[in-house]
């Protein structure tokens, strides 16, 4: 399997061009994909369906020469296009809010996004997410501030058994001394308990200045968080790819077996056009960006 690096959280900014510049910087540094993150707090409504548009200029081939150079240095293939996924990050402050936002009835809206992340704001919500929530892919924890809850080994293990991923953002580590100290005090516990399993590392960047190259981040996390180089690399590559593949199967395949396509009203099923062989053996993460 090709080594591909991901940054699964680029946040919006007051400057509309900031996220474009951040995505362009990620492309230049050799990342193969990013997720355009939409933070949300409060009740979901139909107006909250995904309206995040990728930047077509960044996904064209051939890659810019700087991107090809960095990918070659990173050991990543240059023939893969730069992919842009959509993501929603729900901040939830109660079990009732979590049950409502992640209920099966909300699946139609949530599945307009490629990735569904949840940020718990208290102990009860975190415990509920680890034990029961299904319509989500990742638990994102803001380690840059004092946590409003306590991480529990039993809950972390249960979430891992259920295939849920945990996310640590590295931008606070390069932001200021106070943020760095806070992350180090809290995030190391999650690193120790997960041992890198189902752990992803993202930038949570608001602008291009907060993005670092894959191996800079790997060395930073290995040095500050105690992750081995191998596990830090997996947290930015293999684990991210696994998360996307799982999210794709859940959203675009019925019971992870039969792909569901939306057909236009006048479109007819044509056996010469739709062939089973087109889907067998295909990696979900390789085509979700093309949908």
């Amino acid at each position: 399997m090709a080594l591909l690096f991901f940054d699964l959280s680029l946040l919006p900014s007051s400057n509309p061009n900031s996220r474009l510049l951040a995505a362009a910087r990620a492309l230049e540094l050799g990342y193969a994909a990013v997720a355009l993150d939409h933070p949300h707090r409060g009740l979901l409504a139909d107006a909250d369906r995904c309206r995040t548009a990728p930047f077509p200029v960044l996904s064209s081939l051939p890659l810019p020469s700087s991107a090809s150079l960095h990918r070659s240095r990173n050991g990543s293939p240059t023939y893969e296009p730069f992919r842009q996924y959509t993501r929603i990050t729900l901040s939830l402050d109660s079990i009732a809010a979590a049950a409502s936002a992640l209920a099966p009835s909300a699946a139609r809206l949530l599945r307009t996004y490629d990735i569904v992340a949840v940020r718990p704001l208290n102990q009860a919500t975190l415990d509920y997410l680890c034990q029961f929530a299904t319509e989500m892919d990742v638990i994102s924890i803001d380690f840059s501030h004092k946590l409003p809850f306590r991480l529990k080994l039993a809950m972390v293990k249960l979430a891992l058994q259920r295939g849920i991923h945990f996310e640590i953002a590295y931008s606070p580590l390069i932001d200021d001394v106070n943020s760095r100290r806070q992350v180090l005090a809290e995030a190391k516990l999650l690193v120790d308990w997960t041992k890198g399993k189902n752990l992803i590392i993202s930038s949570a960047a608001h602008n291009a200045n907060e993005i670092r190259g894959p191996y800079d981040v790997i060395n930073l996390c290995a040095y500050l968080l105690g992750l081995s180089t191998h596990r830090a690399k997996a947290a930015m590559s293999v684990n991210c790819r696994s998360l996307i593949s799982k999210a794709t199967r859940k959203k675009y395949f019925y019971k992870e077996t039969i792909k569901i396509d939306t057909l236009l009203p006048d479109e007819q099923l044509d056996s010469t056009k739709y062939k089973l062989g087109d889907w067998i053996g295909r990696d979900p993460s390789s085509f979700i960006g093309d949908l």
Side-chain angles (χ1 to χ4, degrees):
M1 181 182 294
L3 179 63
L4 301 173
F5 289 106
F6 300 74
D7 186 343
L8 296 185
S9 180
L10 296 186
L11 295 169
S13 171
S14 56
N15 182 347
N17 292 322
S18 288
R19 188 145 64 174
L20 169 58
L21 295 175
R25 179 62 173 162
L27 166 62
E28 181 185 20
L29 289 173
Y31 287 91
V34 296
L36 306 179
D37 200 345
H38 172 64
H40 180 85
R41 184 168 183 173
L43 296 176
L44 286 167
D46 200 57
D48 297 312
R49 69 174 44 253
C50 183
R51 289 179 172 80
T52 304
F55 304 108
V57 68
L58 299 180
S59 295
S60 57
L61 284 173
L63 297 174
S65 57
S66 58
S68 296
L69 175 62
H70 279 94
R71 282 208 196 175
S72 297
R73 288 177 173 175
N74 294 339
S76 302
T78 58
Y79 55 80
E80 286 282 352
F82 183 71
R83 302 188 185 278
Q84 300 168 68
Y85 302 104
T86 59
R87 163 176 165 168
I88 186 171
T89 300
L90 303 169
S91 293
L92 302 173
D93 58 5
S94 69
I95 293 177
S100 174
L102 301 173
S105 58
R108 178 179 59 86
L109 191 154
L110 293 176
R111 289 178 185 180
T112 62
Y113 295 88
D114 297 323
I115 300 169
V116 177
V118 178
R119 177 159 290 175
L121 301 180
N122 56 40
Q123 188 74 59
T125 305
L126 174 62
D127 293 349
Y128 174 83
L129 295 174
C130 291
Q131 295 178 84
F132 303 114
T134 56
E135 295 296 330
M136 67 172 184
D137 306 306
V138 58
I139 295 176
S140 177
I141 300 176
D142 182 7
F143 288 105
S144 64
H145 300 86
K146 183 173 176 59
L147 294 183
F149 49 74
R150 183 170 59 89
L151 290 174
K152 301 176 182 177
L153 177 58
M155 290 298 165
V156 171
K157 284 186 174 181
L158 182 58
L160 294 177
Q161 290 170 4
R162 298 177 60 229
I164 296 170
H165 287 71
F166 286 91
E167 178 182 55
I168 297 175
Y170 71 78
S171 56
L173 290 171
I174 59 177
D175 190 11
D176 58 61
V177 174
N178 291 332
S179 295
R180 185 182 308 119
R181 185 181 297 115
Q182 190 63 48
V183 173
L184 295 180
E186 304 281 3
K188 275 190 173 182
L189 194 59
L190 182 63
V191 168
D192 291 343
W193 284 350
T194 62
K195 294 181 172 59
K197 179 182 178 182
N198 282 19
L199 182 68
I200 67 170
I201 297 172
S202 307
S203 68
H206 290 89
N207 58 67
N209 294 330
E210 296 177 330
I211 297 178
R212 298 293 184 270
Y215 279 96
D216 288 338
V217 179
I218 290 168
N219 292 332
L220 180 72
C221 292
Y223 177 72
L224 293 179
L225 297 179
L227 271 173
S228 68
T229 300
H230 172 74
R231 287 173 174 168
K233 183 186 294 186
M236 300 186 67
S237 56
V238 177
N239 295 357
C240 295
R241 189 164 187 161
S242 173
L243 185 156
I244 293 170
S245 294
K246 181 180 177 183
T248 306
R249 289 195 300 270
K250 183 167 63 178
K251 291 172 176 61
Y252 298 106
F253 288 75
Y254 175 68
K255 294 187 178 179
E256 301 189 3
T257 304
I258 304 172
K259 184 174 185 296
I260 306 299
D261 276 330
T262 301
L263 301 179
L264 297 175
D266 59 348
E267 190 171 0
Q268 301 297 319
L269 286 174
D270 182 351
S271 61
T272 63
K273 180 179 179 182
Y274 300 97
K275 296 180 180 179
L276 181 61
D278 294 337
W279 301 106
I280 294 177
R282 195 169 183 182
D283 179 2
S285 67
S286 71
F287 69 82
I288 182 172
D290 298 328
L291 291 174

